[in-house]
Amino acid sequence: MKNERLIEQLTDDLTPVKVVRYLGLTSQVWLAMTIVLAVLFALFIGPFREGAFDQLKGSPSFMLESVLGGLTIITLAAFAIYSAVPDRLPKSPVISILPWLLLTAWLSCYLYGIVEHGGHFDSHGKRPFCYLETMLLAMLPTVLGLMWVKKRAYPVNKTLTGVLFGMTSGLVAAMMMQFACMYDAYHALFFHVLPGLLMGGVGGFLAQKML
Amino acid sequence: MAADDSISRWQVDEQRWSQWMSASHRGDREAYSLLLAELTEALTVYLQVQFGESELVEDCVQECLLAIHKARHTYDPARPFRPWMFTIARHKTIDVLRQSSRHKMETGLVESEEIDQTTIASFQRIMDGAKLLVGLSDEHREVLMLTKYLGFTTLEAASSLGISESAVKARLRRSLQAVQKSWEEESIYI
């Protein structure tokens, strides 16, 4: 009887809806917006490091870190969007662990760099509050992403979705700092990437409040 | 032959539910009402197999229907219906189990002093038939039974089991994680 009444209420409440589609495209649009916001905000605070983009050609380790970082971010962005829709996260074990494998490989590059350089580094281009910048840069894209989730999706695990959005935004900011701030493995790992990863926690918290 | 019949029926259900949900996207109330009625039955059977006969099942079914209603715009008609539905249903059921404090027993709300060994034994028999709970360890099944079926608070369960309240909460958390993990490994053929 209770179920029949509920069905009646839900049927009376029924309105036409627009189906959520093109999740892959949505993830790339959100990612592009996150990158643009990060770049604009960083430029507002100060210029990028001189010669940063030339380093891509001149330093194989810098190139590798940038490529691995980029791939990690692209896959995490996709996972963030897909996690917000029931039954859309990949089921294949290989694809499921892909972002985490890429992240591990990316972080390993920094660890290798720390060991290789043995404490010597070049502070050219250092931004005094880069760790704060990283976290602040990530806030708006995280919030905008979660607003899309609230309006257009239905995450079965809100915390996971929030963590993925926060982490992706944070790592975009960290990757941008790779070019905007000083380039050193220790500094990048502890003052850019780690604050970026911590944004995952912020995202999870925001998701609990907003969704 | 029986297995073939089950799979055919499964495919027919799948197609019908998908079409009805697509129709409901356009605002077709008749199709939606038919869909919800069939989903109620399917979910009730599924949860009764997992948890045994209990008013817990009715609460879970209602919460699942509400969640499916709120999430209906996320169903893509080009994709299978059941995995989408059961993803929502399983997560919602775990949420209900996490959040539920006291549950009404079939005869009404029972004060904890009235629950004696006879009542616990009769519930144990119900739970012996519950598929999902069979897969749990004794510790996990015990704490789920006391808190979710018999309506004990965590403090009352701790007193009954002779352990600390924090130990009860930890066991409850792990038992729900075990239920969730077991479901994730289960394929969705009914």
Coordinates of all heavy atoms in Angstrom, one line a residue, chain A residues 75-128:
Chain A
T75 N 42.8 11.7 -17.8 CA 42.1 10.5 -17.3 C 41.3 10.8 -16.0 O 40.2 10.4 -15.9 CB 43.0 9.3 -17.1 OG1 44.1 9.7 -16.3 CG2 43.5 8.8 -18.4
L76 N 41.9 11.6 -15.1 CA 41.2 11.9 -13.9 C 39.9 12.8 -14.2 O 38.9 12.6 -13.6 CB 42.1 12.7 -12.9 CG 43.0 11.8 -12.1 CD1 43.9 12.7 -11.2 CD2 42.2 10.9 -11.2
A77 N 40.1 13.7 -15.1 CA 38.9 14.5 -15.5 C 37.8 13.7 -16.0 O 36.6 13.9 -15.7 CB 39.3 15.6 -16.5
A78 N 38.1 12.7 -16.8 CA 37.1 11.8 -17.4 C 36.4 11.0 -16.2 O 35.2 10.9 -16.2 CB 37.7 10.8 -18.4
F79 N 37.3 10.5 -15.3 CA 36.7 9.7 -14.2 C 35.8 10.5 -13.3 O 34.8 10.1 -12.8 CB 37.9 9.1 -13.4 CG 38.3 7.8 -13.8 CD1 38.8 7.5 -15.1 CD2 38.3 6.7 -13.0 CE1 39.1 6.3 -15.6 CE2 38.7 5.4 -13.4 CZ 39.1 5.2 -14.7
A80 N 36.2 11.8 -13.2 CA 35.4 12.7 -12.3 C 34.0 12.8 -12.9 O 33.0 12.6 -12.2 CB 36.0 14.1 -12.2
I81 N 33.9 13.1 -14.2 CA 32.6 13.2 -14.8 C 31.8 11.9 -14.8 O 30.6 11.8 -14.5 CB 32.7 13.8 -16.3 CG1 33.3 15.2 -16.2 CG2 31.4 13.7 -17.0 CD1 32.4 16.3 -15.8
Y82 N 32.5 10.8 -15.2 CA 31.8 9.5 -15.3 C 31.4 9.0 -13.9 O 30.4 8.3 -13.8 CB 32.7 8.5 -15.9 CG 32.7 8.6 -17.4 CD1 33.7 9.3 -18.1 CD2 31.7 8.0 -18.2 CE1 33.7 9.4 -19.5 CE2 31.7 8.1 -19.6 CZ 32.7 8.8 -20.2 OH 32.7 8.9 -21.6
S83 N 32.1 9.4 -12.8 CA 31.7 9.0 -11.5 C 30.4 9.6 -11.1 O 29.7 9.1 -10.1 CB 32.8 9.3 -10.5 OG 32.8 10.7 -10.2
A84 N 30.0 10.7 -11.7 CA 28.8 11.4 -11.3 C 27.5 10.8 -11.9 O 26.4 11.3 -11.6 CB 28.9 12.9 -11.8
V85 N 27.7 9.8 -12.8 CA 26.5 9.2 -13.4 C 26.5 7.7 -13.1 O 27.6 7.0 -13.2 CB 26.6 9.4 -14.9 CG1 25.4 8.7 -15.6 CG2 26.6 10.8 -15.3
P86 N 25.4 7.1 -12.6 CA 25.4 5.7 -12.2 C 25.8 4.8 -13.3 O 25.4 5.0 -14.4 CB 23.9 5.5 -11.8 CG 23.4 6.8 -11.4 CD 24.1 7.8 -12.3
D87 N 26.6 3.8 -12.9 CA 27.0 2.8 -13.8 C 27.9 3.3 -15.0 O 27.9 2.6 -16.0 CB 25.8 2.0 -14.4 CG 26.2 0.7 -15.1 OD1 27.0 0.0 -14.6 OD2 25.7 0.6 -16.3
R88 N 28.5 4.4 -14.9 CA 29.4 4.9 -16.0 C 30.9 4.8 -15.7 O 31.6 5.0 -16.7 CB 29.0 6.3 -16.4 CG 27.6 6.4 -17.0 CD 27.4 5.5 -18.1 NE 28.2 5.7 -19.3 CZ 27.9 6.6 -20.3 NH1 26.8 7.2 -20.3 NH2 28.8 6.7 -21.3
L89 N 31.2 4.5 -14.5 CA 32.7 4.3 -14.2 C 33.1 3.1 -14.9 O 32.4 2.1 -15.0 CB 33.0 4.2 -12.7 CG 33.2 5.6 -12.0 CD1 33.4 5.3 -10.5 CD2 34.4 6.3 -12.6
P90 N 34.3 3.0 -15.5 CA 34.8 1.8 -16.2 C 34.8 0.6 -15.3 O 35.2 0.7 -14.1 CB 36.2 2.2 -16.6 CG 36.4 3.7 -16.4 CD 35.4 4.1 -15.5
K91 N 34.4 -0.5 -15.9 CA 34.4 -1.7 -15.1 C 35.7 -2.6 -15.3 O 36.1 -3.4 -14.5 CB 33.2 -2.6 -15.4 CG 31.9 -1.9 -15.0 CD 30.7 -2.8 -15.3 CE 29.4 -2.2 -14.9 NZ 29.1 -0.9 -15.5
S92 N 36.4 -2.3 -16.4 CA 37.6 -3.1 -16.7 C 38.7 -2.7 -15.7 O 38.9 -1.5 -15.4 CB 38.1 -2.7 -18.1 OG 39.5 -2.9 -18.2
P93 N 39.3 -3.7 -15.0 CA 40.3 -3.5 -14.0 C 41.4 -2.7 -14.5 O 42.0 -1.8 -13.8 CB 40.7 -4.9 -13.6 CG 39.7 -5.8 -14.0 CD 39.0 -5.2 -15.2
V94 N 41.8 -2.9 -15.8 CA 43.0 -2.2 -16.4 C 42.7 -0.7 -16.5 O 43.5 0.1 -16.1 CB 43.3 -2.8 -17.8 CG1 44.4 -1.9 -18.5 CG2 43.8 -4.2 -17.6
I95 N 41.5 -0.4 -17.0 CA 41.1 1.0 -17.2 C 40.9 1.7 -15.9 O 41.2 2.8 -15.7 CB 39.9 1.2 -18.2 CG1 40.2 0.6 -19.5 CG2 39.5 2.6 -18.3 CD1 39.1 0.6 -20.5
S96 N 40.3 0.9 -14.9 CA 40.0 1.5 -13.6 C 41.2 2.0 -12.9 O 41.2 3.0 -12.2 CB 39.4 0.4 -12.7 OG 38.2 0.0 -13.2
I97 N 42.4 1.3 -13.1 CA 43.6 1.7 -12.4 C 44.4 2.7 -13.2 O 45.5 3.2 -12.7 CB 44.4 0.5 -11.9 CG1 44.9 -0.3 -13.0 CG2 43.6 -0.3 -10.9 CD1 46.0 -1.3 -12.6
L98 N 44.0 3.0 -14.4 CA 44.9 3.8 -15.3 C 45.3 5.1 -14.7 O 46.5 5.5 -14.7 CB 44.2 3.9 -16.7 CG 45.0 4.7 -17.8 CD1 46.3 4.0 -18.1 CD2 44.2 4.8 -19.0
P99 N 44.3 5.9 -14.2 CA 44.7 7.2 -13.7 C 45.7 7.1 -12.6 O 46.7 7.9 -12.4 CB 43.4 7.9 -13.2 CG 42.3 7.0 -13.7 CD 42.9 5.7 -14.1
W100 N 45.6 6.1 -11.7 CA 46.4 5.9 -10.6 C 47.8 5.4 -11.0 O 48.8 5.8 -10.4 CB 45.7 5.0 -9.5 CG 44.3 5.3 -9.4 CD1 43.2 4.6 -9.8 CD2 43.8 6.5 -8.9 NE1 42.1 5.3 -9.6 CE2 42.4 6.5 -9.0 CE3 44.3 7.7 -8.4 CZ2 41.5 7.5 -8.6 CZ3 43.5 8.7 -8.0 CH2 42.1 8.6 -8.1
L101 N 47.9 4.6 -12.0 CA 49.2 4.2 -12.6 C 49.9 5.4 -13.1 O 51.1 5.6 -12.9 CB 49.0 3.2 -13.7 CG 48.7 1.7 -13.3 CD1 48.5 0.9 -14.5 CD2 49.9 1.2 -12.5
L102 N 49.2 6.2 -13.9 CA 49.8 7.4 -14.5 C 50.3 8.4 -13.4 O 51.4 8.9 -13.5 CB 48.8 8.1 -15.4 CG 48.5 7.4 -16.7 CD1 47.3 8.0 -17.4 CD2 49.7 7.5 -17.7
L103 N 49.4 8.5 -12.3 CA 49.8 9.4 -11.2 C 51.1 8.9 -10.5 O 52.0 9.7 -10.2 CB 48.6 9.5 -10.2 CG 48.9 10.4 -9.0 CD1 49.1 11.8 -9.4 CD2 47.7 10.3 -8.0
T104 N 51.1 7.6 -10.3 CA 52.3 7.0 -9.7 C 53.5 7.2 -10.5 O 54.6 7.6 -10.0 CB 52.1 5.5 -9.5 OG1 50.9 5.3 -8.7 CG2 53.2 4.9 -8.7
A105 N 53.4 7.0 -11.9 CA 54.5 7.2 -12.8 C 55.0 8.7 -12.7 O 56.2 9.0 -12.7 CB 54.1 6.8 -14.2
W106 N 54.0 9.6 -12.7 CA 54.3 11.1 -12.7 C 55.1 11.4 -11.4 O 56.1 12.0 -11.4 CB 53.0 11.8 -12.8 CG 53.2 13.3 -12.8 CD1 54.2 14.0 -13.3 CD2 52.2 14.3 -12.5 NE1 54.0 15.4 -13.2 CE2 52.7 15.6 -12.7 CE3 50.8 14.2 -12.0 CZ2 52.0 16.7 -12.5 CZ3 50.1 15.4 -11.8 CH2 50.7 16.6 -12.0
L107 N 54.6 10.9 -10.2 CA 55.2 11.2 -9.0 C 56.6 10.6 -8.9 O 57.5 11.2 -8.3 CB 54.4 10.7 -7.8 CG 53.0 11.3 -7.6 CD1 52.2 10.7 -6.5 CD2 53.1 12.9 -7.5
S108 N 56.8 9.4 -9.5 CA 58.1 8.7 -9.5 C 59.1 9.6 -10.2 O 60.3 9.5 -9.8 CB 58.0 7.4 -10.2 OG 57.0 6.6 -9.6
C109 N 58.7 10.3 -11.2 CA 59.6 11.2 -11.9 C 60.2 12.2 -11.0 O 61.4 12.5 -11.0 CB 59.0 11.9 -13.1 SG 58.5 10.9 -14.5
Y110 N 59.4 12.8 -10.1 CA 59.9 13.8 -9.2 C 60.8 13.1 -8.2 O 61.8 13.7 -7.8 CB 58.7 14.5 -8.5 CG 57.9 15.3 -9.4 CD1 56.5 15.1 -9.6 CD2 58.4 16.5 -10.0 CE1 55.8 15.9 -10.5 CE2 57.7 17.3 -10.8 CZ 56.4 17.0 -11.0 OH 55.6 17.8 -11.9
L111 N 60.4 12.0 -7.7 CA 61.2 11.3 -6.7 C 62.6 11.0 -7.3 O 63.6 11.1 -6.7 CB 60.6 10.0 -6.3 CG 59.3 10.1 -5.4 CD1 58.6 8.8 -5.2 CD2 59.7 10.8 -4.1
Y112 N 62.6 10.5 -8.6 CA 63.9 10.3 -9.3 C 64.7 11.6 -9.4 O 65.9 11.6 -9.1 CB 63.6 9.7 -10.7 CG 64.9 9.5 -11.5 CD1 65.7 8.4 -11.2 CD2 65.2 10.4 -12.5 CE1 66.9 8.3 -12.0 CE2 66.4 10.3 -13.2 CZ 67.2 9.2 -12.9 OH 68.4 9.0 -13.7
G113 N 64.0 12.7 -9.7 CA 64.7 14.0 -9.8 C 65.3 14.4 -8.5 O 66.4 15.0 -8.5
I114 N 64.6 14.1 -7.4 CA 65.1 14.5 -6.0 C 66.4 13.7 -5.8 O 67.4 14.3 -5.3 CB 64.1 14.2 -4.9 CG1 62.9 15.2 -5.1 CG2 64.7 14.3 -3.6 CD1 61.7 14.8 -4.2
V115 N 66.4 12.4 -6.1 CA 67.5 11.6 -5.8 C 68.7 12.0 -6.7 O 69.8 12.1 -6.3 CB 67.2 10.1 -6.0 CG1 68.4 9.2 -6.1 CG2 66.2 9.6 -5.0
E116 N 68.4 12.3 -8.0 CA 69.4 12.6 -9.0 C 70.1 14.0 -8.6 O 71.3 14.1 -8.7 CB 68.8 12.7 -10.3 CG 69.8 12.6 -11.5 CD 69.2 13.1 -12.8 OE1 68.1 13.7 -12.8 OE2 69.9 12.8 -13.8
H117 N 69.3 15.0 -8.2 CA 69.9 16.3 -8.0 C 70.6 16.4 -6.7 O 71.4 17.3 -6.5 CB 68.8 17.4 -8.1 CG 68.4 17.7 -9.5 ND1 67.2 17.7 -10.0 CD2 69.2 18.0 -10.6 CE1 67.1 18.0 -11.3 NE2 68.4 18.2 -11.7
G118 N 70.2 15.6 -5.7 CA 70.9 15.6 -4.4 C 70.9 16.9 -3.7 O 71.9 17.3 -3.1
G119 N 69.8 17.6 -3.8 CA 69.7 18.9 -3.0 C 70.1 20.1 -3.7 O 70.0 21.2 -3.2
H120 N 70.6 20.0 -4.9 CA 71.0 21.2 -5.7 C 69.8 21.7 -6.5 O 69.2 20.8 -7.2 CB 72.2 21.0 -6.6 CG 73.4 20.5 -5.8 ND1 74.2 21.3 -5.0 CD2 73.9 19.2 -5.7 CE1 75.1 20.6 -4.4 NE2 75.0 19.3 -4.8
F121 N 69.5 22.9 -6.5 CA 68.4 23.4 -7.4 C 68.5 24.8 -7.8 O 69.3 25.6 -7.2 CB 67.0 23.2 -6.6 CG 66.9 23.9 -5.3 CD1 66.5 25.3 -5.3 CD2 67.3 23.3 -4.1 CE1 66.4 25.9 -4.1 CE2 67.2 24.0 -2.9 CZ 66.7 25.3 -2.9
D122 N 67.8 25.2 -8.8 CA 67.8 26.5 -9.3 C 66.5 27.2 -9.0 O 65.4 26.7 -9.4 CB 68.0 26.4 -10.9 CG 67.9 27.8 -11.5 OD1 67.8 28.8 -10.8 OD2 67.8 27.8 -12.8
S123 N 66.5 28.3 -8.2 CA 65.3 28.9 -7.7 C 64.8 30.0 -8.7 O 63.9 30.8 -8.3 CB 65.5 29.5 -6.3 OG 66.5 30.5 -6.4
H124 N 65.3 30.0 -9.9 CA 64.9 31.0 -10.9 C 63.4 30.9 -11.1 O 62.9 29.8 -11.4 CB 65.7 30.8 -12.2 CG 65.1 31.4 -13.4 ND1 65.0 32.8 -13.5 CD2 64.5 30.9 -14.5 CE1 64.5 33.1 -14.7 NE2 64.1 31.9 -15.3
G125 N 62.7 32.0 -11.0 CA 61.2 32.0 -11.3 C 60.4 31.6 -10.1 O 59.1 31.5 -10.2
K126 N 61.0 31.5 -8.9 CA 60.2 31.0 -7.7 C 59.1 32.0 -7.4 O 59.3 33.3 -7.4 CB 61.1 30.9 -6.5 CG 60.5 30.3 -5.3 CD 61.6 30.1 -4.2 CE 61.0 29.3 -3.0 NZ 60.0 29.9 -2.3
R127 N 57.9 31.5 -7.1 CA 56.8 32.4 -6.7 C 56.6 32.1 -5.2 O 56.5 31.0 -4.8 CB 55.5 32.0 -7.5 CG 55.6 32.4 -8.9 CD 54.6 31.6 -9.8 NE 53.3 32.2 -9.8 CZ 52.7 32.8 -10.9 NH1 53.4 33.0 -12.0 NH2 51.5 33.3 -10.9
P128 N 56.6 33.2 -4.4 CA 56.6 33.0 -2.9 C 55.5 32.2 -2.3 O 55.7 31.5 -1.4 CB 56.6 34.5 -2.4 CG 56.2 35.3 -3.5 CD 56.5 34.6 -4.8

